[in-house]
Amino acid sequence: MRLRSCPAPVATPAALVALAVVLSLAAACGRPSPAEPHEEGGTARPIEISTWWQKAGPSAGELDPLSRLLAIHRKRFPNDLVIQAGAGLSELKRKTLHARMLRNDPPDTFEANAGGDLLQWVLYDRADASQSRLLPLDDLVEGVADWRRRVPPAILDQVSQGGKTYGVPVNVYRVNTIFYNKRVFRRFGLDEPKSVADLSEMERKLRGSGVPLIALGSREPWTLALLTFECLLVAREGRAFYVDYFRGRVAADDMRMQRTLEAALALGPFFNADHQRLSWSEAVDRVADGQAAMTIMGDWAQAEFNGRGMVQTVDFGEIPFPGSEQSFVFTADTYALPVGAKNQAGARRLLATMGTREAQHAMNDGRGALSARLDVPAPSAMAISLANHDLLERGSLVLALSGLVPPPYAADVAASLSEMLAEHDIEPVLHTLRSRQVLLH
């Protein structure tokens, strides 16, 4: 789940913020009893969780998945003290985590996307799990066998290696989605796009109004990769080509990829001019405020609208990216148990809670996310949620780029897409795709 957050605590003011988070969570978790086995010297040893989850919108406390998780966990383990490692946008969190893992100072558990983002720490030598920086959960965490029976195989495959489980998947997000402001659509006579070609006519109706068709926040350029590959490429060339390409089975400069890059470049005039200064969530804010018509973002963005008290089908709409209606491009938030966790026992308890039906329902209800467990119903009766749940049950899943390719490849290609927009030329992306293709083998 890619959620906005505050910068990681590196200076005195940020340290004060981190202290406030610790104190508030400590108060919420209750005072530990002297009899608890996870205490030392009468003081509870905290469980440190590294996550990019945060409250969405100005009044979304009740939608905060971490708060909801902790409420469930307190019922099971009332003396546990859970603290959140300093905050940050998802890419900043990954960089901080990487540094901590390399110096053998990991948090007790951390968030990663299913697939390569998680399994990079298992296949650390890129060969097998002999140098894994993560512990397998099967014999350490209560309930793993239960939730494994209820999670779709396509998701289980992305948290497993060599028959062992290395992460608890807690939700499933659809990446290839569009959110739009219904008031803006009514004002300018816009209809939901049925094809990519429809976007040009929609932009023509908005021309000169000062309202861009697509709000984009590319300060972290993974948003450009989401738009170009996980939405546009899948819509144009199909999910089989998308998977084959990013598995290294297709020539890097295949004409189908070149045509997709040209189509992405053609969308440039439809974006807000300041997109390089905005985060993805700030782009969503533009749509919620009526300053843009729509944004192309994973369905975690629904929490931003819900947090403002906006109602789906009344104030905003959500649709699959046109042309990709039958392709569920997915990512899943997962939590792992690092080798060297200081409070391994506490982390094991927290991971056990994450895998339960009750916790997954609490974390995802009202936010637009599906649970990773099929025995948890869709979070609402909205048509898009029911359609997504149906695709999930049928197994029509396509892994998002964060899980499909090695992290260095994803980062380099995303950066080249920023260069493509700045130079109005697809060659920077083609050069990167050619030079980095070796990483896919």
Side-chain angles (χ1 to χ4, degrees):
M1 184 169 68
R2 294 152 173 159
L3 293 182
R4 60 178 172 179
S5 198
C6 303
V10 294
T12 299
L16 293 173
V17 172
L19 178 59
V21 170
V22 172
L23 292 175
S24 64
L25 288 174
C29 290
R31 185 180 300 278
S33 74
E36 283 297 309
H38 54 285
E39 293 181 296
E40 293 182 354
T43 302
R45 174 183 288 177
I47 306 166
E48 184 188 14
I49 181 173
S50 175
T51 177
W52 51 79
W53 283 351
Q54 73 145 39
K55 295 178 181 179
S59 59
E62 72 280 3
L63 302 178
D64 174 26
L66 185 57
S67 296
R68 287 183 158 213
L69 167 64
L70 295 183
I72 300 297
H73 190 68
R74 284 196 299 274
K75 296 178 184 177
R76 292 163 53 89
F77 303 101
N79 296 318
D80 273 353
L81 171 65
V82 182
I83 62 172
Q84 182 175 358
L89 292 165
S90 57
E91 293 308 309
L92 176 59
K93 294 293 289 187
R94 286 185 173 95
K95 291 177 182 177
T96 303
L97 174 67
H98 192 270
R100 291 188 62 178
M101 294 287 278
L102 292 184
R103 66 175 185 261
N104 297 315
D105 179 32
D108 297 313
T109 184
F110 66 85
E111 180 177 9
N113 291 140
D117 191 41
L118 171 73
L119 296 178
Q120 64 175 315
W121 299 112
V122 179
L123 301 176
Y124 193 69
D125 58 0
R126 299 192 65 187
D128 54 43
S130 62
Q131 303 298 318
S132 176
R133 303 295 180 97
L134 303 181
L135 294 171
L137 307 180
D138 307 81
D139 298 325
L140 295 176
V141 175
E142 179 185 357
V144 171
D146 170 65
W147 60 253
R148 280 186 63 89
R149 290 192 294 269
R150 291 164 170 78
V151 172
I155 298 173
L156 282 179
D157 287 348
Q158 303 307 324
V159 298
S160 305
Q161 179 64 35
K164 297 180 179 179
T165 311
Y166 288 92
V168 181
V170 299
N171 55 33
V172 188
Y173 285 108
R174 188 173 185 176
V175 171
N176 53 319
T177 50
I178 286 176
F179 289 86
Y180 65 91
N181 185 305
K182 282 188 163 285
R183 177 169 52 82
V184 172
F185 266 45
R186 288 193 296 269
R187 176 184 171 192
F188 291 99
L190 304 177
D191 297 316
E192 293 180 353
K194 305 299 182 185
S195 69
V196 174
D198 288 344
L199 298 177
S200 295
E201 175 61 20
M202 296 171 72
E203 192 277 335
R204 186 191 65 78
K205 290 183 177 181
L206 289 168
R207 201 170 298 164
S209 68
V211 177
L213 176 63
I214 300 172
L216 175 67
S218 66
R219 192 168 76 204
E220 290 187 316
W222 60 260
T223 57
L224 294 172
L226 181 152
L227 186 158
T228 303
F229 304 127
E230 294 157 319
C231 291
L232 197 56
L233 182 64
V234 171
R236 289 173 54 89
E237 305 299 341
R239 59 187 185 226
F241 177 79
Y242 164 85
V243 172
D244 284 345
Y245 187 91
F246 289 113
R247 289 298 189 197
R249 302 168 188 154
V250 178
D253 53 1
D254 186 280
M255 283 304 300
R256 287 167 289 185
M257 175 59 79
Q258 293 194 43
R259 288 193 293 266
T260 297
L261 293 174
E262 294 284 4
L265 187 58
L267 293 179
F270 301 178
F271 306 148
N272 47 298
D274 61 348
H275 62 85
Q276 289 185 319
R277 297 199 296 272
L278 301 185
S279 67
W280 73 265
S281 55
E282 289 171 325
V284 174
D285 288 342
R286 294 278 179 93
V287 178
D289 291 336
Q291 298 177 45
M294 53 189 269
T295 190
I296 299 169
M297 186 47 56
D299 59 12
W300 53 84
Q302 185 180 135
E304 302 291 317
F305 295 96
N306 292 347
R308 290 167 168 261
M310 299 177 72
V311 178
Q312 195 175 31
T313 73
V314 176
D315 304 304
F316 71 97
E318 177 188 357
I319 57 172
F321 188 85
S324 69
E325 290 82 1
Q326 295 305 309
S327 297
F328 190 131
V329 184
F330 83 95
T331 188
D333 290 335
T334 68
Y335 285 85
L337 181 60
V339 172
K342 298 177 183 64
N343 188 357
Q344 185 191 118
R348 288 162 58 181
R349 291 192 295 272
L350 185 59
L351 292 170
T353 298
M354 289 181 180
T356 64
R357 186 179 188 275
E358 181 185 15
Q360 295 211 2
H361 184 270
M363 285 185 281
N364 298 312
D365 186 51
R367 294 183 60 85
L370 300 178
S371 169
R373 297 178 57 126
L374 287 174
D375 58 345
V376 178
S380 74
M382 295 298 120
I384 184 69
S385 295
L386 297 175
N388 287 349
H389 199 267
D390 179 61
L391 290 173
L392 179 66
E393 287 185 316
R394 288 195 277 122
S396 302
L397 302 178
V398 187
L399 188 59
L401 213 61
S402 62
L404 196 59
V405 302
Y409 178 98
D412 290 346
V413 172
S416 72
L417 289 167
S418 289
E419 202 174 339
M420 176 187 79
L421 288 181
E423 297 184 7
H424 305 285
D425 188 351
I426 68 170
E427 187 54 39
V429 185
L430 288 175
H431 173 77
T432 303
L433 292 172
R434 294 187 197 104
S435 64
R436 301 298 187 270
Q437 192 177 38
V438 66
L439 296 176
L440 302 180
H441 299 286

